[in-house]
């Protein structure tokens, strides 16, 4: 699958979160900075299902990994 299909808005929708640009920016500003010692998927603000999705996609370097990495960078 083409990684370009996975945008930040798509990721937030996949996670069951509001996915409009303003909501994404608000989420990021509310949860940053995430300490470098905390893996993104281990952050306390995720639900169990969100955490599982993020962990699986990163570990498997799956289609969503690029945009998850982008979110990780924006939360640091």
């Amino acid at each position: 699958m083409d990684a370009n299909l996975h945008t930040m808005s798509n990721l937030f929708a996949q996670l069951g979160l509001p996915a409009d640009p303003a909501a994404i920016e608000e989420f990021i500003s509310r949860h940053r900075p995430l300490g470098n010692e905390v893996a993104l998927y281990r952050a306390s603000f995720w639900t169990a299902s969100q955490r599982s999705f993020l962990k699986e996609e990163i570990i498997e370097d799956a289609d969503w990994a690029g945009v998850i990495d982008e979110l990780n960078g924006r939360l640091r």
Side-chain angles (χ1 to χ4, degrees), residues 4-73:
N4 291 331
L5 295 177
H6 298 304
T7 65
M8 193 64 66
S9 290
N10 295 143
L11 176 61
F12 273 67
Q14 178 71 23
L15 292 168
L17 298 169
D20 62 276
I24 292 168
E25 291 306 315
E26 194 277 328
F27 178 93
I28 291 169
S29 66
R30 184 170 15 114
H31 294 294
R32 71 179 304 226
L34 181 62
N36 287 330
E37 71 283 357
V38 179
L40 177 64
Y41 69 88
R42 291 187 178 193
S44 62
F45 47 81
W46 302 120
T47 66
S49 62
Q50 291 167 333
R51 188 173 293 116
S52 176
F53 171 77
L54 292 167
K55 180 180 180 182
E56 181 177 315
E57 293 297 307
I58 289 294
I59 288 173
E60 293 180 8
D61 196 24
D63 290 339
W64 290 96
V67 72
I68 292 170
D69 284 342
E70 179 185 343
L71 175 60
N72 186 42

